[in-house]
Amino acid sequence: RSSVSSEARGSSTGRGGGNFVSYGDLMMATDGAGLSRSYLASEETYKVLKDLHERNLFVPLVGDFAGSRALRSVGKYVREHGATVAAFYLSNVEQYLFQDGRQQLFFDNVAALPLTDTSVFIRPYAMRRYGSGPALCGIPKFLKSVAAGRITTNNEALACWE
């Protein structure tokens, strides 16, 4: 959990409403033990992320995650380079996909990625919503739950029901 002060929080006017903090506030936030977990917290953590980015191992993606191209193109690229997806940072994208009834298209796209048994979703939004909820969720087990019809709401997805 972040220790961003209530003064730093604002009111979102975008879809979904709720509170937001600025990027700067997030970079300055600390966890429950008072430790900064930002990639800018130290030169060492910054260099780790910079190295991943320089080797194309950290790939920011903007696109329609339920569409036919964005995730499928990433999957094709990763597969062509003999690699797998180890982690997939979701932020709060699922909230919007569930609101639009497009979550299954997204889950199908994720299932088409080159995954391993240890691939995970990173869901910091789950931590915000559930306090100390599961920020990491095993993708293969989660997709099995989706296929079995056990994930029908955004809250169930955030809770990482398996």
Side-chain angles (χ1 to χ4, degrees), residues 24-150:
D25 293 330
L26 288 173
M27 295 300 101
M28 300 294 291
T30 58
D31 66 13
L35 299 173
S36 178
R37 301 293 182 178
S38 160
Y39 72 94
L40 294 175
S42 71
E43 185 69 19
E44 181 182 349
T45 57
Y46 171 74
K47 284 181 179 179
V48 167
L49 188 64
K50 184 175 185 247
D51 176 62
L52 291 172
H53 184 273
E54 288 173 347
R55 293 186 297 137
N56 284 331
L57 297 175
F58 175 80
V59 182
L61 178 64
V62 176
D64 181 357
F65 285 11
S68 62
R69 291 194 345 227
L71 291 183
R72 303 259 176 176
S73 296
V74 168
K76 180 180 180 215
Y77 175 87
V78 171
R79 197 173 286 104
E80 286 173 352
H81 287 81
T84 58
V85 174
F88 189 137
Y89 175 87
L90 287 172
S91 187
N92 63 341
V93 70
E94 287 169 305
Q95 169 187 351
Y96 301 111
L97 295 169
F98 273 96
Q99 284 176 359
D100 295 343
R102 301 180 75 221
Q103 70 276 6
Q104 188 59 54
L105 295 169
F106 166 65
F107 296 139
D108 291 344
N109 287 339
V110 171
L113 295 172
L115 304 170
T116 70
D117 290 342
T118 59
S119 297
V120 294
F121 283 133
I122 303 171
R123 288 187 173 116
Y125 185 72
M127 291 178 66
R128 185 180 86 180
R129 184 121 180 203
Y130 294 108
S132 61
L136 298 179
C137 178
I139 296 174
K141 288 182 181 178
F142 179 82
L143 291 175
K144 286 179 184 174
S145 292
V146 168
R150 291 190 296 270

